[in-house]
């Protein structure tokens, strides 16, 4: 089959809500088959599958905790079973357990590093094995502007997101010779469940620091992810694109 005829298959971790959900829909509109991963939200993932299908794509939902190696293995096996290949991996699944360091438990540090950083490592490993064989791949990791600027109360989260930048650049070098690109998108302050609990005063203060004058919406980030995931972005690797309204410049 010629390269142009291949329908690309994308796995989006944490595709059931927020940014991941918007990424699934954006990639479905680009003509990809979608594997919508979720951890707890079965109904939310089913809704995303329906939205992808409405956009003209094939889509399945797969439950897997990305911090668990066996789950990641099964996630990729189910993707191959459904669509025969994996061309795009978006490491989007992420959690926060914010606290000042004196109050942060070891368990909260480990939980965030395991979900955000180890989860991406495990999925990259599963993806790389298959992408190397097919000599094609696009990996996009969701970092954050806090990886670049730091944020009081988020030592665990910022460490995980900064770790993702090191992972992205190292893996970009490892896989470049096999026509596989690895890039990162660093969102700023985006309106999702993750940021919904912030007190109004904090939200107002954060918005003041955004040159474009508003928090982002998931689609703002999905657009940047879809850009890296596109066939045409073949000369971009090891890059970090801030989707942040100008916050981190
Ligand atoms: P969100 O609304 O809280 O959604 C998180 C998603 O990740 C959910 O689909 C959740 O699935 C999934 N997830 C969490 N732990 C998982 C695990 N162990 N295995 C598999 N899936 C898991 O988050 P969001 O705001 O859309 O953020 C998406 C990504 O962007 C995250 O990596 C986040 O760190 C990053 N980011 C967000 C912002 C922001 O302002 N929102 C800023 C910078 C970076 P279930 O619901 O099924 O558990």
């Amino acid at each position: 089959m010629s390269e142009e005829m291949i329908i690309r298959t994308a796995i989006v971790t944490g595709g059931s809500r927020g940014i991941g959900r918007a990424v699934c829909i954006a990639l479905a509109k680009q003509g990809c088959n979608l594997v919508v991963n979720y951890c707890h939200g079965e109904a939310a993932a089913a809704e995303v599958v329906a939205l992808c299908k409405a956009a003209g794509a094939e889509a399945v939902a797969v439950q897997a905790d990305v911090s668990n190696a066996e789950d990641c293995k099964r996630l990729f096996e189910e993707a191959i079973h459904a669509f025969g290949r994996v061309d795009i991996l978006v490491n989007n699944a992420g959690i926060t357990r914010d606290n000042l360091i004196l109050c942060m438990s070891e368990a909260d540090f480990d939980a965030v590093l395991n979900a955000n950083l180890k989860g991406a490592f495990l999925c990259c490993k599963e993806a790389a094995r298959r992408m190397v064989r097919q000599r094609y791949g696009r990996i996009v990791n969701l970092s954050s502007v806090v990886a670049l600027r730091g944020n009081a109360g988020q030592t665990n989260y910022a460490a995980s997101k900064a770790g993702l930048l090191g992972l992205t650049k190292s893996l970009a070098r490892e896989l470049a010779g096999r026509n596989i690109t690895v890039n990162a998108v660093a969102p700023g302050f985006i309106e999702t469940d993750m940021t919904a609990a912030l007190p109004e005063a904090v939200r107002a203060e954060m918005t003041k620091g955004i040159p474009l004058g508003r928090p982002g919406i998931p689609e703002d980030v999905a657009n940047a992810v879809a850009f890296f995931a596109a066939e045409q972005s073949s000369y971009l690797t090891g890059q970090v694109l801030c989707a942040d309204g100008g916050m981190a410049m």
Side-chain angles (χ1 to χ4, degrees):
M1 201 187 302
S2 76
E3 280 289 304
E4 310 81 80
M5 288 169 68
I6 294 172
I7 296 177
R8 300 298 178 191
T9 295
I11 295 183
V12 179
T13 69
S16 53
R17 287 189 286 122
I19 292 168
R21 171 187 161 112
V23 169
C24 288
I25 295 164
L27 294 180
K29 286 181 180 162
Q30 273 187 3
C32 299
N33 294 326
L34 260 300
V35 178
V36 181
N37 160 251
Y38 66 98
C39 192
H40 303 104
E42 188 178 357
E47 198 181 305
V48 177
V49 165
L51 289 167
C52 291
K53 287 184 174 168
E58 294 294 321
V60 295
V62 179
Q63 192 284 333
D65 175 349
V66 295
S67 64
N68 178 295
E70 285 305 311
D71 278 21
C72 292
K73 190 163 174 277
R74 184 174 45 74
L75 169 62
F76 277 74
E77 284 167 357
E78 291 193 26
I80 297 290
H81 179 72
F83 299 119
R85 52 188 294 134
V86 175
D87 302 283
I88 300 165
L89 167 65
V90 181
N91 283 309
N92 165 82
I95 59 168
T96 52
R97 295 279 187 279
D98 297 351
N99 224 327
L100 297 173
I101 197 158
L102 295 182
C103 305
M104 187 178 288
S105 67
E106 191 179 341
D108 280 350
F109 186 86
D110 287 346
V112 169
L113 268 289
N114 284 338
N116 299 6
L117 185 55
K118 185 178 157 193
F121 159 73
L122 292 170
C123 288
C124 282
K125 203 167 161 173
E126 293 293 333
R129 208 149 58 78
R130 293 162 171 101
M131 289 174 177
V132 161
R133 259 190 258 125
Q134 71 196 16
R135 294 283 194 280
Y136 183 93
R138 299 273 183 268
I139 298 176
V140 186
N141 296 321
L142 269 291
S143 179
S144 166
V145 291
V146 308
L148 307 170
R149 300 177 11 145
N151 197 22
Q154 290 199 309
T155 48
N156 52 357
Y157 182 78
S160 74
K161 294 299 179 179
L164 274 176
L165 298 184
L167 184 153
T168 298
K169 292 176 189 187
S170 301
L171 193 58
R173 288 185 185 275
E174 280 187 29
L175 300 179
R178 307 299 173 98
N179 193 29
I180 300 164
T181 66
V182 189
N183 292 288
V185 171
F189 174 38
I190 312 298
E191 301 274 17
T192 67
D193 295 342
M194 189 176 267
T195 51
L198 291 173
E200 196 42 51
V202 176
R203 302 170 67 81
E205 199 49 42
M206 288 182 79
T207 306
K208 259 199 243 160
I210 303 172
L212 284 176
R214 64 166 176 88
I217 56 171
E219 289 72 16
D220 292 323
V221 181
N223 189 40
V225 173
F227 168 66
F228 279 137
E231 202 101 22
Q232 303 92 306
S233 297
S234 56
Y235 202 56
L236 302 173
T237 199
Q239 301 304 303
V240 183
L241 182 54
C242 292
D244 66 347
M247 219 175 162
M249 68 179 160

